Amino acid sequence: MIDIMNATKYFRVGFFGTKKTAVENLSLNIEEGKVTGFFGPNGAGKSTTIKMVVGLINPSGGNIKIKGYPASDCRSRLKLGYLPENPSFPRGLKGIEIINYYSKLLDKKINKDEIYDALKLAGIFYAKNIHAHKYSKGMTQRLALAVSILGDPEILIFDEPLSGLDPVGRKEFKDIIFKLKKRKKTIFFSSHVLADSKELCDRIAVLVNGRLIKSEDLEDIEKEAASYAEEKKDNLLTGEYSTPLEVYLYDLMLKSRKN
Amino acid sequence: MKKILYGTMYSFKEIKNLKIFYSFLMFALILISGSYFVSQTSFISQGRIMVDFSIFAISIFNIFIGIFIGASVVYDDIEKKSVFLTITRPIKRTEYLAGRFLGLAAAIIFSTIIMMLIFYFVLLIMHKFIVPAGYFAGNVKAKAGIVSHIKNKRVKSAPAEKNSGKNITGKLSIVKPAAKPFTFYSLPQPLIIQALFIIIESIFISAAALLFSLITSKALASIFAILVFFIGSVSSRMNDLVKPVKKIINGKVVIMHQANHALMSIVHFIYTVLPNFSIFNISSEAAYKVNVSAGIIFYRIVYGICYTALLFIISSLIFARKDIS
Ligand SMILES: Nc1ncnc2c1ncn2[C@@H]1O[C@H](COP(=O)(O)OP(=O)(O)OP(=O)(O)O)[C@@H](O)[C@H]1O
Ligand SMILES: [Mg+2]
């Protein structure tokens, strides 16, 4: 579905334009009909990777293809919904006006019922006549989710869909992702909360310092975690992390960070 | 195409809600109404002063709208990240950019029309400077009295304006002539052309501001656009300044004074490269009600539109490969 081949991205920062590598030689294949979780600490390059996939950023090297089209081609986004991290909307427009506008940008015709369905699924239907700049963060997130699932796209890309939500909101968002998963959508979402991984994902990819250090099925990675847990029995379950998988991933990230 | 249209409507709605747009609009309206008081300071040709003052207010505020909103219409969208959801739809970046830009153009047209309407009403109330429309229309007889009355009045106050009665515009004169108890007045032709020029000029400078905002920050883009506008307004005069002063003595052309060569070439370069904004300023024609010929109107409009299109094409080339993050 989505093929990321040797994608590299560096930014030019500062006055002299020194290179700063954000993603390095990343190859990842996101399979159809599966939920892929994309994990990594802050600044790992998750958002950068996702932006390259949705065509916001041009990769410095390598290429990315969605259903055979390069990511820079707008046809690659015909059936793609994207939820950015910290979405926002222009001032002075109502939720319903905003979603109406976005529905017009799709290539197929979206009728009113479909818009209402999307709003209802995202749980923002009640606030559709309120100005979007008066929304709380969770409400804005929901409206952006409604926009991204408009037109029933096959591929859904969520950048930190759960950040900034209260426990109830997190639960609801997870339920929505579950619903979409049941509809056999291809979902690619990023998060730095390891606890999200297990319930939602079929596959897990871990990114640290711009490098992909793991990309496996959930079962395989759980097996690895179990054997890792047996190895170092003593200081397991420290602090925040309570399952072998979390501890395994956390230790992995720590290790690759040192290198 | 349809997507551009929706983008235009959306960005127009958005701009209409901007505080800066409102405040510029309000400011201009206050100034236009205040032009009455300014005109009171003069004994003669109060109408002319009002026109000069109001046209200045209308053009300067539309140019401000063009510059400041042009510099922010895409920049803020990127900064606030609301662009993310738009250009990740199946839409080309150029289509998005065209939508934003045309929305801004629509806002400029909208604000100019509102300002001109207010101006028109002020003139109507003052009963100055307006010309009866429907001149060609049927019942000339009924109006003839009023026309000559106004003419007389005007000839008294400003003898220079002799053929003012003939300035009829097609636009506003679509009034059914029959059974109208009152005369329909319209603005003289040069004023309406001036309004058109203000629209074109403001859209033009907003394209420049948009282009700058894609490569620098918002504040710098506004400053650059203001500089371009300023230099563009005076460049033709500067060009005249550095022209060699010639005199004819005994049938021979003698150069009396020549400016520094380097300076001359710099000014020449600026004059050719930077847009010439002074051609859009016809306030003297407007103040004296001198009709502007169709050729001049056509040439200047084409000039403005071509230059704007060129700026837009450069912007969209830059925007197409810009990293948005
Ligand atoms: N526009 C930019 N210019 C310069 N550097 C950037 C830019 N965008 C991202 N970076 C750098 O790239 C690296 C990766 O950033 P990215 O936003 O992808 O991280 P992330 O994994 O999404 O982190 P988080 O979990 O905090 O969202 C960071 O070190 C960041 O400083
Ligand atoms: Mg991120």
Side-chain angles (χ1 to χ4, degrees):
Chain A
M1 207 78 181
I2 301 175
D3 287 305
I4 306 174
M5 281 163 289
N6 303 76
T8 302
K9 180 72 200 177
Y10 53 80
F11 292 104
R12 298 239 172 235
V13 288
F15 185 72
F16 297 104
T18 41
K19 279 187 192 180
K20 183 176 184 309
T21 309
V23 175
E24 211 177 335
N25 218 352
L26 185 146
S27 297
L28 182 65
N29 185 18
I30 295 158
E31 289 160 40
E32 191 168 347
K34 287 198 175 165
V35 180
T36 309
F38 197 34
F39 299 94
N42 285 133
K46 305 181 295 291
S47 301
T48 306
T49 310
I50 287 179
K51 281 176 191 162
M52 285 197 283
V53 171
V54 296
L56 287 168
I57 293 179
N58 303 312
S60 321
N63 58 35
I64 296 170
K65 284 207 166 125
I66 304 173
K67 299 187 96 184
Y69 292 113
S72 53
D73 189 338
C74 73
R75 278 173 298 178
S76 70
R77 277 167 257 131
L78 278 176
K79 295 212 163 131
L80 185 146
Y82 165 57
L83 174 70
E85 64 180 335
N86 306 325
S88 88
F89 296 102
R91 288 182 66 84
L93 293 175
K94 289 178 185 155
I96 187 80
E97 287 175 320
I98 287 170
I99 198 166
N100 260 329
Y101 162 66
Y102 285 112
S103 75
K104 297 290 195 318
L105 296 184
L106 293 173
D107 266 19
K108 56 179 169 180
K109 215 164 156 42
I110 309 286
N111 58 29
K112 214 172 172 184
D113 292 337
E114 283 176 80
I115 291 175
Y116 283 0
D117 284 347
L119 286 171
K120 276 174 191 154
L121 181 62
I124 192 70
F125 186 71
Y126 68 96
K128 67 178 190 303
N129 285 322
I130 299 178
H131 288 258
H133 64 262
K134 294 175 192 155
Y135 281 6
S136 73
K137 180 171 162 49
M139 288 159 89
T140 314
Q141 188 98 341
R142 277 160 197 270
L143 183 62
L145 179 72
V147 169
S148 67
I149 60 178
L150 259 184
D152 207 24
E154 289 169 17
I155 309 167
L156 289 158
I157 297 180
F158 299 146
D159 198 351
E160 299 195 10
L162 303 178
S163 77
L165 294 173
D166 60 12
V168 181
R170 293 173 77 85
K171 168 91 176 54
E172 282 178 7
F173 252 68
K174 277 191 205 169
D175 287 345
I176 295 169
I177 296 180
F178 268 123
K179 258 186 219 167
L180 294 167
K181 186 179 176 180
K182 261 187 215 132
R183 292 194 205 160
K184 291 273 170 264
K185 306 282 181 208
T186 309
I187 300 174
F188 182 47
F189 77 95
S190 80
S191 174
H192 39 229
V193 186
L194 297 169
D196 298 337
S197 60
K198 210 171 161 186
E199 309 130 66
L200 293 170
C201 303
D202 297 320
R203 280 182 70 82
I204 285 179
V206 182
L207 192 72
V208 179
N209 276 348
R211 288 198 200 92
L212 195 70
I213 55 169
K214 263 250 139 32
S215 161
E216 273 165 45
D217 279 352
L218 181 67
E219 291 148 28
D220 297 342
I221 216 164
E222 270 190 323
K223 264 178 221 157
E224 278 174 36
S227 58
Y228 180 78
E230 267 172 30
E231 255 176 52
K232 50 177 278 188
K233 269 199 180 89
D234 38 339
N235 54 357
L236 196 64
L237 311 185
T238 48
E240 278 215 33
Y241 303 107
S242 50
T243 64
L245 180 64
E246 280 175 39
V247 175
Y248 178 56
L249 287 179
Y250 176 69
D251 282 355
L252 256 182
M253 285 180 197
L254 265 189
K255 244 187 254 161
S256 0
R257 217 179 211 177
K258 270 175 207 149
N259 298 340
Chain B
M1 262 342 260
K2 235 177 61 194
K3 288 177 190 172
I4 296 180
L5 188 70
Y6 287 119
T8 304
M9 279 166 14
Y10 187 72
S11 94
F12 177 61
K13 262 192 214 164
E14 203 186 312
I15 291 168
K16 244 183 18 185
N17 289 324
L18 286 179
K19 271 188 202 126
I20 183 168
F21 182 69
Y22 266 126
S23 40
F24 280 156
L25 196 60
M26 291 320 289
F27 228 116
L29 298 186
I30 291 168
L31 276 186
I32 292 167
S33 329
S35 70
Y36 166 74
F37 299 103
V38 176
S39 73
Q40 293 302 304
T41 57
S42 162
F43 296 113
I44 46 154
S45 63
Q46 298 179 341
R48 216 185 297 157
I49 290 177
M50 273 180 71
V51 167
D52 244 3
F53 191 79
S54 301
I55 287 296
F56 174 74
I58 293 174
S59 70
I60 208 75
F61 280 106
N62 272 302
I63 284 160
F64 276 173
I65 287 175
I67 288 175
F68 290 115
I69 302 186
S72 67
V73 72
V74 173
Y75 190 88
D76 278 358
D77 221 18
I78 294 174
E79 195 81 326
K80 283 195 273 169
K81 300 184 174 181
S82 41
V83 68
F84 284 13
L85 277 168
T86 317
I87 58 174
T88 52
R89 310 262 96 184
I91 178 173
K92 292 195 187 78
R93 285 195 181 185
T94 308
E95 288 175 322
Y96 161 80
L97 201 66
R100 299 300 287 180
F101 181 62
L102 291 178
L104 172 58
I108 287 172
I109 293 172
F110 172 78
S111 78
T112 310
I113 288 178
I114 287 191
M115 290 177 193
M116 282 311 280
L117 276 180
I118 299 291
F119 180 41
Y120 169 64
F121 285 129
V122 170
L123 287 181
L124 205 60
I125 293 166
M126 301 278 300
H127 216 287
K128 278 210 171 75
F129 229 77
I130 37 181
V131 288
Y135 199 73
F136 303 119
N139 69 6
V140 182
K141 261 183 212 159
K143 287 172 191 164
I146 307 172
V147 172
S148 61
H149 165 71
I150 292 169
K151 251 189 180 168
N152 289 341
K153 222 172 128 188
R154 204 172 288 123
V155 168
K156 251 185 265 158
S157 64
E161 310 157 358
K162 266 179 197 156
N163 28 2
S164 52
K166 283 175 196 147
N167 301 319
I168 310 286
T169 53
K171 241 190 221 165
L172 291 172
S173 61
I174 324 165
V175 181
K176 294 246 163 61
K180 277 275 170 190
F182 58 89
T183 318
F184 186 80
Y185 292 99
S186 88
L187 294 169
Q189 185 249 18
L191 263 186
I192 292 182
I193 299 304
Q194 174 70 85
L196 187 66
F197 279 0
I198 287 173
I199 290 175
I200 290 189
E201 182 183 36
S202 313
I203 293 175
F204 186 174
I205 192 70
S206 77
L210 175 65
L211 172 59
F212 292 140
S213 79
L214 293 179
I215 41 185
T216 55
S217 70
K218 195 164 97 179
L220 273 181
S222 314
I223 292 171
F224 284 160
I226 291 173
L227 276 180
V228 164
F229 177 73
F230 179 72
I231 297 173
S233 315
V234 298
S235 67
S236 65
R237 254 176 283 162
M238 264 175 22
N239 202 34
D240 290 340
L241 271 184
V242 296
K243 261 186 198 156
V245 182
K246 292 171 189 168
K247 250 187 190 170
I248 299 176
I249 302 172
N250 297 337
K252 268 189 250 164
V253 180
V254 178
I255 295 174
M256 302 292 287
H257 171 79
Q258 188 152 17
N260 183 337
H261 198 75
L263 183 73
M264 224 164 83
S265 40
I266 289 172
V267 171
H268 243 68
F269 177 77
I270 289 175
Y271 177 68
T272 22
V273 171
L274 281 188
N276 184 353
F277 285 103
S278 53
I279 63 167
F280 296 115
N281 185 355
I282 51 166
S283 60
S284 48
E285 280 92 335
Y288 287 99
K289 292 194 203 169
V290 180
N291 274 12
V292 186
S293 75
I296 288 179
I297 299 171
F298 178 76
Y299 157 71
R300 292 181 183 179
I301 288 178
V302 168
Y303 173 80
I305 290 178
C306 287
Y307 221 124
T308 309
L310 179 72
L311 289 178
F312 179 77
I313 289 169
I314 297 173
S315 307
S316 76
L317 287 179
I318 292 173
F319 190 62
R321 56 202 67 199
K322 191 176 161 72
D323 279 346
I324 294 167
S325 65

